[in-house]
């Protein structure tokens, strides 16, 4: 919701107030409702407020206590009543309408670090514990809120907006070449604790940080549950409990008066809309909702607008539809935004106008992100039961699937034999345009092979639903959330995701996959009467084709010229080979096309405000050696 930055001088030196104020003012673009700065000896905190009109609470992100504790936060808590119940009666009464930041600080004051473990919601915060001269920070379970930090000499610089940390004169703009390597072969940054700058780290989701003296320690405080024990006698009980948790997840994310809904024509986002309608009707705010959807009208076959319109009429909410057909390919190429100091793959930027329109209605946008991974079911689910000796349950769930779907459940045998008899070529879409020295230095072929492993074969402790467990923890999610965060996005808009609710996911991961996760059966039954039948029973329908393929040739000519002139790109990419692949865009698949766009995004980043001021070549480090880089960045 807001921006924050801080400087903690762990050596006890006073904070440079002028520097802190300059860094805090740089947050004004994401917090238009006021910038606040506090300096107290070795600690300095800055905050820029973005009001979201949340229900029954103040929204300030700076708070302090009489015991020498201070907090700066971008926090939205779920289950505030549970958090209040953990406080003393006096505090409970005093803080009932206080900001979430003040509530977090009091929990720490009364219960220490263990008191923070029970927090749920979307948050990133730092607490300065004056009596112990230490900083304690947390990032939420799935990384919805970003948290960056850098250790420079005796100070820890931190905040939720990367470019503000780069304003500190001692934070060097040295590129992390290993992150660039991963980005070019995966299209994202899979290292949850790293950024594209070697001196700036990310606090990974579900991790906490404690800094004092000469040490900065980072540790995980929460694990995605692997329980497999949600069992009821009657099917209606599953539906009732899921509906209760789903409604609570939506309600906790709804502001008091108005909310925008990112709504396609699929099941997930329309289900969020249906429950948001019920909650806001119960609050006496029937005109609070407005839906926003992006469609293609000419470039691709696309039915999303039709189905989204059905839901909007059924729920009696207005809907704004934006056609992406007229978006210009890489429209901002050569004039990269100063708010995105890391490469971003967004060739069409089709969502920008939609986000601006959504922000004009409300500063809160609800999405349906997370529904697919939460209900993902493994074709080897029954095999997993057999391996664990759950024979009776195997027989019961097989029978239930036969009764519910009139066909036997998938056993995974077809998938197994297809992979065995005709294994796919793991290098079919491998980038052919990588610079050979860079490719060898970072062993990119092996990184590519690792990235192509089927989901679920990666390490996962879940006994029967490893794909769902792995998908919910995939690095793509925190990267995507950071892209939607106001620190990078184009609008004053806080994006919230009800499916990434800890309470809801704990339940969904524990229910029997058959029948409840097959084709999202549980959600479909929950939505009976809430959604039009055409949408409720609609199968998942991904877009047919890639929207970039039909774009006219002249734009690709301009793109080729930009790539040829991008300073520094040749250290990572054989530019002419990349241009050749882009010119053959109609003959390459979506995955390889996405890989070429990662190189374009890198070129745009190298051209932008953080462009390289000097370069040098270094030998490849050992895998276990400290990472070095070959690019040093300076202020543009």
């Amino acid at each position: 919701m807001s921006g924050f930055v801080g400087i903690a001088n762990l050596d006890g030196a006073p904070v440079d107030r002028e520097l802190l104020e300059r860094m805090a003012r740089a947050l004004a673009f994401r917090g238009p409702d006021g910038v606040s700065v506090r300096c107290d000896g070795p600690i300095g905190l800055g905050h820029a407020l973005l009001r979201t009109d949340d229900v029954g609470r103040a929204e300030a992100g700076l708070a302090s206590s009489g015991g020498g504790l201070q907090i700066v936060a971008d926090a939205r808590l779920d289950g505030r009543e549970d958090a209040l119940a953990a406080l003393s009666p006096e505090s409970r009464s005093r803080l009932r309408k206080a900001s979430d930041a003040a509530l977090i600080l009091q929990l720490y004051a009364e219960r220490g670090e263990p008191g923070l473990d029970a927090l749920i919601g979307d948050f990133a915060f730092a607490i300065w514990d004056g009596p112990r001269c230490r900083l304690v920070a947390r990032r939420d379970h799935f990384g919805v809120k970003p948290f960056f930090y850098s250790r420079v000499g005796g100070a820890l610089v931190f905040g939720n907006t990367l470019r503000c940390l780069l304003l500190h004169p001692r934070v060097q703009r040295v590129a992390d070449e290993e992150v660039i390597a991963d980005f070019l072969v995966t299209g994202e940054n899979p290292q949850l604790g790293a950024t594209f700058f070697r001196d700036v780290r990310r606090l990974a989701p579900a991790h906490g940080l404690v800094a004092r003296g000469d040490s900065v320690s980072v540790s995980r405080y929460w694990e995605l549950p692997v329980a497999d024990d949600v069992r009821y006698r009657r099917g209606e009980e599953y539906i009732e409990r899921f509906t209760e948790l789903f409604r609570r997840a939506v309600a906790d994310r709804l502001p008091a008066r108005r909310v925008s809904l990112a709504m396609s024509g699929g099941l997930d986002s329309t289900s969020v809309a249906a429950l948001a309608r019920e909650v806001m009707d119960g609050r006496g705010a029937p005109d609070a909702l407005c839906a926003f959807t992006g469609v293609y009208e000419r470039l691709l076959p696309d039915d999303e607008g039709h189905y989204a319109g059905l839901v909007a009429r059924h729920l009696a909410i207005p809907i704004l539809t934006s056609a992406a057909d007229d978006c210009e390919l890489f429209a901002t190429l050569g004039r990269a935004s100063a708010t995105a100091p890391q490469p971003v793959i967004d060739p069409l930027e089709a969502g920008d106008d939609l986000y601006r329109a959504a922000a004009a209605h409300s500063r809160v946008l609800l999405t349906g992100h997370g529904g697919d991974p939460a209900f993902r079911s493994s074709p080897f689910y029954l095999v997993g039961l057999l391996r664990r000796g759950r024979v009776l349950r195997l027989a019961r769930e097989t029978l239930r699937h036969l009764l519910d779907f009139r066909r036997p459940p998938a056993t995974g045998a077809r998938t197994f034999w297809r992979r065995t008899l005709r294994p796919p070529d793991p290098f079919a879409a491998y980038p052919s345009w990588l610079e050979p020295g860079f490719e060898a230095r970072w062993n990119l072929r092996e990184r590519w092979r690792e990235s192509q492993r089927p989901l679920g074969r990666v390490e996962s402790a879940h006994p029967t639903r490893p794909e769902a467990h792995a998908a919910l923890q995939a690095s793509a999610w925190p990267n995507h959330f950071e892209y939607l965060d106001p620190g990078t996005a184009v609008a004053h808009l806080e994006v919230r995701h009800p499916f990434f609710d800890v309470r809801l996911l704990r339940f969904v991961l524990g229910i029997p996959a058959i029948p409840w996760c097959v084709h999202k059966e549980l959600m479909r039954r929950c939505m009976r009467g809430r959604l039009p039948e055409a949408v409720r029973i609609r199968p998942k329908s991904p877009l047919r084709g890639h929207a970039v393929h039909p774009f006219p040739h002249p734009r690709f000519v301009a793109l080729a010229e930009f790539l040829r002139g991008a300073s520094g790109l040749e250290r990572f990419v054989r530019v002419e080979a990349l241009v050749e692949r882009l010119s053959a865009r109609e003959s390459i698949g979506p995955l390889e096309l996405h890989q070429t766009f990662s190189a374009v995004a890198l070129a745009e980043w190298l051209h932008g405000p953080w462009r390289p001021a000097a370069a040098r070549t270094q030998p490849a480090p050992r895998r276990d050696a400290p990472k070095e880089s070959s690019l040093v960045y300076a202020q543009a």
Side-chain angles (χ1 to χ4, degrees), residues 12 52 104 107 163 166 200 258 300 359 362 428 493 508-509 532 546 565:
T52 56
I104 294 168
L107 272 170
R163 72 171 191 156
L166 297 174
V200 182
R258 294 191 297 177
L300 295 174
S362 169
L493 190 67
V508 173
L509 285 175
H546 198 294

Side-chain angles (χ1 to χ4, degrees), residues 207-265:
H207 278 67
L209 174 151
V210 177
R212 69 171 86 195
D214 294 331
S215 70
V216 177
S217 61
V218 175
S219 59
R220 177 179 283 275
Y221 67 82
W222 178 83
E223 296 277 0
L224 187 64
V226 296
D228 191 26
D229 56 1
V230 178
R231 296 294 177 270
Y232 297 123
R233 288 184 176 274
R234 299 180 300 109
E236 290 77 8
E237 293 179 85
Y238 290 98
I239 301 169
E240 291 167 3
R241 180 58 174 161
F242 173 75
T243 305
E244 175 191 351
L245 291 171
F246 193 12
R247 182 184 286 112
R248 188 185 304 172
V250 171
D252 278 352
R253 287 161 175 79
L254 286 172
R257 289 178 292 182
R258 294 191 297 177
V259 64
S260 297
L261 303 168
M263 193 173 79
S264 70

Side-chain angles (χ1 to χ4, degrees), residues 174-177 180 198 616 618 627-632:
V174 179
D176 191 321
E177 197 173 274
I180 292 175
R198 192 185 61 186
R616 64 186 184 276
Q618 296 178 339
K627 290 178 290 185
E628 296 294 336
S629 175
S630 61
L631 291 179
V632 180

Side-chain angles (χ1 to χ4, degrees), residues 351-361 490-491 493:
D352 289 359
D353 289 342
L354 211 59
Y355 286 132
R356 291 188 185 97
H361 175 75
V490 297
L493 190 67

Side-chain angles (χ1 to χ4, degrees), residues 433 560 563-566 569-571 573-580:
W433 34 259
L563 291 172
R564 290 186 177 110
L569 185 62
E570 71 281 354
R571 294 186 170 273
V573 168
R574 292 188 298 120
V575 176
E576 289 304 322
L578 173 64
V579 169
E580 182 180 343

Side-chain angles (χ1 to χ4, degrees), residues 455-485:
L455 201 62
R457 291 190 181 183
V458 297
E459 184 176 349
S460 173
H462 203 286
T464 55
R465 297 184 60 207
E467 285 90 347
H469 197 262
L472 287 165
Q473 299 182 98
S475 58
W477 288 116
N479 285 314
H480 181 63
F481 296 147
E482 285 175 14
Y483 170 68
L484 296 177
D485 183 79

